[in-house]
Amino acid sequence: MDHAATGQEALSRIAGADDLDTLESLRVEFLGKQGSISGLLKTLGKLDPEARKVEGPRIHALRESVSEALAARKDALETAALDARLASETIDLSLPAPEAPRGSVHPISQVMDELAEIFADMGFAVATGPEIEDDWHNFTALNMPESHPARAMHDTFYFPDRNEGGREMLLRTHTSPVQIRTMLSQGAPLRVIAPGRVYRSDSDATHTPMFHQIEGLVIDKGIHLGHLKWTLETFLKAYFERDDIVLRLRPSYFPFTEPSIEVDVGYSNEGGRRVVGGSGDAPGHAWMEVLGSGMVNRHVIAAGGLDPDEWQGFAFGTGVDRLAMLKYGMDDLRAFFDGDVRWLSHYGFSALDVPTLSGGVGTPV
């Protein structure tokens, strides 16, 4: 049997294989279970001992040489394929990496930060209080009598249990109880804002059972309506980032202030949305109420543990959600709390977009 000729033919064909698939076919042909070289190994069992001693080493040497040739050719083909791929494919390392998915700051949180930044610049501190409140802090201390409509079951979320003092418990309907608690704990003079969640039994496109308010309180000696007007004008100009904000003050009634004032701002309709700015009496403009305010009622000052003959003050309050809608163009309050990622991606803010008065208190992403 001419093993040398068989080996030469196998090595020649292996060297001529130009791809990995062809090389694999040759491996099966020579070394597979039914391969030609594997068949030679099987014939050794049929030879006599003397012939086996002669043929065995030759056949094993042939098998080893073919295996080595297959491995070497495979390495060469793989190296050539990699070189070709590197030559044809390029990576521009100067391009920025794809942006990873990221969350956003909710408009309510952003506006809360904007308001805190604006009022901090005017010397106001942030005060907080419990959302589960008793009826004395929520109603009685704020000069709201037992017959006041806000105390009705259909307007307020009451709890079935009373506190240790026998007072009814409820979800606060405004952040005004924080003003009472702050006066009782800190005394006067006082300059605070009270932002937070409040709850009322109401739901439509512009009202939700839970929403956000911010209220302000200033207690000092010699405080008058001029101080209130300046504060509100400065606040609204900074928030809407416009110098042409025009206020209209109208007499109103709130049990916790006397006199009480509704504050309107001029606006125009542009592109289907309300844009705050200019006088409401100008052509193409109108007036819109944005907040309530007034001089703190003397009964409220007394409930806060202060002498109303010595201390005076003003208070104001507005909806944070409504301010966000006016500034950033949302038209349905319910969308704020739907948790729709598409809405949040559109109206959300970058976590690094920290409000500053010098850089503009808020710019959407």
Side-chain angles (χ1 to χ4, degrees):
M1 187 179 293
D2 190 354
H3 300 312
T6 302
Q8 287 299 325
E9 179 188 1
L11 295 176
S12 176
R13 292 177 64 187
I14 291 171
D18 55 5
D19 58 61
L20 292 173
D21 290 338
T22 301
L23 190 65
E24 177 61 16
S25 298
L26 292 175
R27 185 194 69 79
V28 173
E29 180 181 343
F30 297 135
L31 301 179
K33 289 185 178 181
Q34 305 300 322
S36 57
I37 297 176
S38 299
L40 292 175
L41 290 170
K42 294 177 182 178
T43 62
L44 290 177
K46 300 177 181 180
L47 300 177
D48 58 69
E50 290 300 324
R52 192 182 302 128
K53 288 181 182 180
V54 176
E55 295 296 330
R58 293 177 181 175
I59 295 174
H60 283 292
L62 174 61
R63 183 176 181 277
E64 290 298 323
S65 65
V66 171
S67 296
E68 291 174 359
L70 286 168
R73 186 59 180 163
K74 182 179 180 182
D75 287 343
L77 290 173
E78 288 177 341
T79 300
L82 179 60
D83 290 341
R85 182 179 176 187
L86 292 174
S88 62
E89 296 181 3
T90 58
I91 300 176
D92 188 350
L93 298 179
S94 66
L95 291 174
E99 185 174 353
R102 59 193 176 113
S104 59
V105 177
H106 195 283
I108 293 298
S109 300
Q110 177 72 16
V111 170
M112 286 280 203
D113 289 343
E114 293 178 21
L115 298 176
E117 176 72 17
I118 292 168
F119 282 107
D121 191 61
M122 291 191 283
F124 284 73
V126 176
T128 59
E131 294 180 23
I132 298 177
E133 191 56 272
D134 62 67
D135 65 342
W136 186 85
H137 287 92
N138 196 83
F139 294 126
T140 307
L142 294 166
N143 198 40
M144 301 176 77
E146 295 288 340
S147 59
H148 196 279
R151 290 190 181 234
M153 292 291 291
H154 60 80
D155 282 338
T156 301
F157 295 106
Y158 283 93
F159 288 94
D161 301 324
R162 294 174 178 262
N163 66 5
E164 295 178 355
R167 294 172 178 170
E168 288 189 283
M169 303 299 293
L170 50 94
L171 292 174
R172 67 182 183 188
T173 59
H174 44 193
T175 58
S176 302
V178 177
Q179 300 180 19
I180 297 296
R181 291 181 177 274
T182 306
M183 282 191 284
L184 289 171
S185 62
Q186 298 183 21
L190 200 61
R191 192 180 300 186
V192 295
I193 55 171
R197 287 184 291 266
V198 297
Y199 307 85
R200 295 179 190 175
S201 184
D202 202 356
S203 181
D204 56 40
T206 57
H207 300 84
T208 55
M210 185 279 294
F211 57 102
H212 299 79
Q213 270 192 346
I214 182 168
E215 297 189 7
L217 174 68
V218 171
I219 299 292
D220 209 328
K221 296 180 179 179
I223 297 296
H224 53 73
L225 282 175
H227 297 128
L228 171 62
K229 184 176 184 293
W230 177 88
T231 300
L232 298 180
E233 193 170 60
T234 303
F235 150 54
L236 291 170
K237 285 182 177 180
Y239 176 71
F240 288 107
E241 300 179 67
R242 298 181 62 131
D243 291 328
D244 62 345
I245 301 295
V246 179
L247 304 187
R248 182 178 72 173
L249 308 184
R250 292 182 290 108
S252 185
Y253 169 75
F254 304 110
F256 30 80
T257 53
E258 179 60 38
S260 300
I261 296 171
E262 294 272 10
V263 180
D264 302 335
V265 293
Y267 77 96
S268 59
N269 282 300
E270 299 179 14
R273 58 172 288 193
R274 293 183 176 186
V275 177
V276 175
S279 170
D281 294 326
H285 287 64
W287 294 104
M288 173 176 54
E289 183 270 326
V290 290
L291 56 85
S293 62
M295 301 300 293
V296 181
N297 190 296
R298 61 185 291 110
H299 295 297
V300 176
I301 294 177
L306 302 175
D307 183 357
D309 292 325
E310 180 182 2
W311 301 100
Q312 301 81 44
F314 63 78
F316 57 88
T318 186
V320 176
D321 320 68
R322 185 147 183 261
L323 289 178
M325 293 171 71
L326 286 173
K327 183 173 182 178
Y328 296 114
M330 302 96 166
D331 57 7
D332 192 336
L333 181 59
R334 293 168 295 191
F336 280 68
F337 312 113
D338 284 344
D340 189 325
V341 175
R342 297 167 299 176
W343 188 91
L344 292 171
S345 298
H346 180 74
Y347 287 111
F349 294 78
S350 167
L352 300 179
D353 193 14
V354 180
T356 61
L357 289 179
S358 59
V361 288
T363 303
V365 200

